[in-house]
Amino acid sequence: MPEAPAMAQPTEDVKNWMNMFRWIVKLIRDEYEVDEASLTRCSVLETDCGLAIEQVEVVLDTISESFALRFPAGTLDEVVKLDELCMLAAWMKGLYKRPEFISAGFEQRCRAANAACG
């Protein structure tokens, strides 16, 4: 599995899904030199942001390590856009309501892996 970036940003200011969105935008911008103008809410991680699947996996790993979250298998089948990733991570951290776009089976796997899921 690819290694996580060495310098993840502090997480103490992440108090809601918009803070999570900003944190993830900074991560992608800084680690992959993606123009911040490309990192909008509806950006597709691979095509609009220009990330390879391996890079998206590293982003997931970094979020996991930084926020003590566990993304279940199949996360990249459920999450396609940047805002979806942010809402999912915020929900798993207990900072946001359950995202409507996730399937019932995936919700169960998230809840089993993350006690903070709201």
Side-chain angles (χ1 to χ4, degrees):
M1 177 151 293
E3 290 185 28
M7 295 294 291
Q9 299 165 1
T11 62
E12 59 271 356
D13 290 336
V14 178
K15 310 259 187 250
N16 58 45
W17 92 268
M18 284 304 296
N19 298 143
M20 181 73 73
F21 179 85
R22 189 75 197 130
W23 190 94
I24 293 171
V25 164
K26 287 179 183 178
L27 171 69
I28 294 170
R29 179 197 68 199
D30 295 348
E31 291 300 322
Y32 300 107
E33 299 178 357
V34 175
D35 182 358
E36 197 162 336
S38 306
L39 300 172
T40 64
R41 288 179 60 183
C42 58
S43 297
V44 175
L45 292 165
E46 290 181 68
T47 56
D48 297 331
C49 300
L51 299 176
I53 192 70
E54 294 82 12
Q55 292 171 317
V56 176
E57 290 170 351
V58 172
V59 169
L60 290 178
D61 289 345
T62 302
I63 296 167
S64 294
E65 291 175 18
S66 298
F67 293 96
L69 299 175
R70 295 186 61 204
F71 288 100
T75 295
L76 295 179
D77 295 330
E78 300 277 336
V79 171
V80 176
K81 297 178 182 174
L82 183 56
D83 67 340
E84 293 171 347
L85 174 58
C86 297
M87 287 186 276
L88 177 65
W91 171 65
M92 291 185 347
K93 187 66 178 165
L95 303 173
Y96 189 71
K97 64 182 179 169
R98 178 199 177 273
E100 294 181 11
F101 62 86
I102 64 173
S103 66
F106 185 72
E107 175 186 4
Q108 290 174 346
R109 292 194 308 276
C110 287
R111 288 183 186 278
N114 300 280
C117 286

